[in-house]
Amino acid sequence: MDVMRHCSSFLLPATSTAADSDGVGGTAAPPPAYALVLLNQRLPRFAPLLWQHAQVRMCADGGANRVYDEMPDLFPDEDASAIRNRYKPEAIRGDMDSIRPEVMDFYRTLGTKILDESHDQDTTDLHKCVSYIRDSTPELNNSNLCILVAGALGGRFDHEIGNINVLCRFSDTRIILISDDCLIQLLPRTHRHEIHILSSVEGPHCGLIPIGMPSKSTTTTGLKWDLADTEMKFGGLISTSNIAKEETVTVRSDSDLLWTISIKKPGFASQHEVHKKSI
């Protein structure tokens, strides 16, 4: 079984990421080809950093309102109009039921593609954006594509579940859901996983959650409460509020798992470590 390697190097300045590439197999992989999708939730404080890493940036419907309204707030000493012109998405896609008309007109004038998919009510705006990135951006290397999704967590629970479902529907594409507080990504059962923990910006709190089906056997290393051929399922045991103890966490499971880890805030101070493998 091949090894899939993971690293949250997109949370570091671009000059710091060369040695922290994600990859599959036993050889060093080229740096990920990042794409960024911004959803209609508050922008994380590090949104400009994600933007800098990405080769393609697009908004899902009302995510354009967030970029227009909130990106200038992240640069309080600069002119708001200059920030809006600087942070221009390449495309806006969705059913267009949330974007304000003046925001759409502003970005259309700057040359942003407006992709109205209001005829499709069977997929979410995130699904539409992921499909566009996979199928319509030849400048990205799909074999090493990693899609960062900002504003994917928080707000309505059904929206969060819809975003998590996109991870499952595109299980062959690396997609990372990001908020100010944490990130979530799918660990497909088709691979063993090595997760390099960047302790300066993430952790220690983390979790592993079976998705789609129960796990009859999950084994980990590098956690404070490791799993050893452990069964996990909803209505039984799942590994929440665990602690990343080592620089590398390894995971092997017979089911797809969600991996989540906390993102540190400036001035982060460790809290009293409390673990519960919830039941």
Side-chain angles (χ1 to χ4, degrees), residues 255-271:
S255 78
D256 294 344
L257 302 177
L258 296 177
W259 162 257
T260 182
I261 190 167
S262 57
I263 296 175
K264 292 182 177 178
K265 290 180 168 57
F268 175 87
S270 295
Q271 301 292 318

Side-chain angles (χ1 to χ4, degrees), residues 112 147 243:
T112 296
I147 301 175
I243 300 290

Side-chain angles (χ1 to χ4, degrees), residues 90-106:
E90 284 89 341
I92 301 169
R93 194 180 199 197
D95 60 9
M96 303 303 175
D97 64 347
S98 299
I99 186 172
R100 302 196 305 270
E102 70 272 18
V103 173
M104 186 186 299
D105 291 344
F106 175 82

